[in-house]
Amino acid sequence: MSTSIAVTQDFEACLALRHTVFVQEQGVPIEEEQDALDATATHLMARDGDTPVGTARILFQEGTAKVGRVCVLERARGTGLGADIIRATVDIARETPGISRVKLGAQIQALGFYEKLGFQAFGPIYDDAGIDHRDMVLELA
């Protein structure tokens, strides 16, 4: 696999990836998967050659980069691509003036994945689109 990760304007490709992973695989209602925040988010695309295989979005608010809608197609899972996407979001956050932390809502089964990348869980478990989540934060030095 020869992957690249970059900010993208190809929002339709991001939505297609998210639809495959969240709506088709995880059963998230489409009206909950897409929201008005997409219009102001920075979108990242991971590609294997020319083929989109993963995505994430970042929202910048009050000193925080909020990462969300992180997904990787099944065929690219287990390759380290998900970690690379998260590292790319953290790099963008570090390069953005005024941003001091990265926050995300992690599905419970992914807590360990994010902990290995330096995130710390906080707060209660909550339901998001029928899936248990917990907030996590990474303070930027």
Side-chain angles (χ1 to χ4, degrees), residues 92-107:
I92 289 168
R94 283 187 201 285
E95 295 166 5
T96 303
I99 299 298
S100 61
R101 75 189 62 81
V102 180
K103 183 180 172 187
L104 54 84
Q107 293 182 8

Side-chain angles (χ1 to χ4, degrees), residues 5-6 44 58 82-93 95:
I5 301 168
L44 276 73
I58 311 169
D84 290 343
I85 291 171
I86 296 303
R87 285 190 207 66
T89 66
V90 170
D91 289 345
I92 289 168
E95 295 166 5

Side-chain angles (χ1 to χ4, degrees), residues 2-3 17 19-20 31 39 48 52 59 61 72 95 97 106 110 116 119-121 131 140:
S2 172
T3 59
L17 289 166
H19 186 85
T20 297
E31 58 273 9
D48 180 10
L59 298 162
Q61 300 171 323
V72 173
E95 295 166 5
K116 288 178 185 172
F119 287 81
Q120 294 182 326
I131 301 169
L140 300 176

Side-chain angles (χ1 to χ4, degrees), residues 54-70:
T55 189
R57 76 177 187 188
I58 311 169
L59 298 162
F60 298 99
Q61 300 171 323
E62 301 173 7
T64 301
K66 173 79 167 72
V67 174
R69 304 305 196 267
V70 179

Side-chain angles (χ1 to χ4, degrees), residues 11-34 38 55 69-73 77:
F11 181 58
E12 292 304 315
C14 294
L15 281 181
L17 289 166
R18 288 167 38 181
H19 186 85
T20 297
V21 174
F22 297 124
V23 178
Q24 293 177 343
E25 290 180 20
Q26 297 183 353
V28 172
I30 194 163
E31 58 273 9
E32 291 186 44
E33 197 290 308
Q34 296 178 28
D38 281 322
T55 189
R69 304 305 196 267
V70 179
C71 65
V72 173
L73 292 181
R77 292 180 198 150

Side-chain angles (χ1 to χ4, degrees), residues 105-137:
Q107 293 182 8
I108 293 300
Q109 78 274 5
L111 288 176
F113 167 79
Y114 290 110
E115 286 169 345
K116 288 178 185 172
L117 294 168
F119 287 81
Q120 294 182 326
F122 69 95
I125 294 172
Y126 60 91
D127 179 286
D128 185 4
I131 301 169
D132 283 343
H133 283 71
R134 192 155 180 223
D135 285 334
M136 301 191 83
V137 67

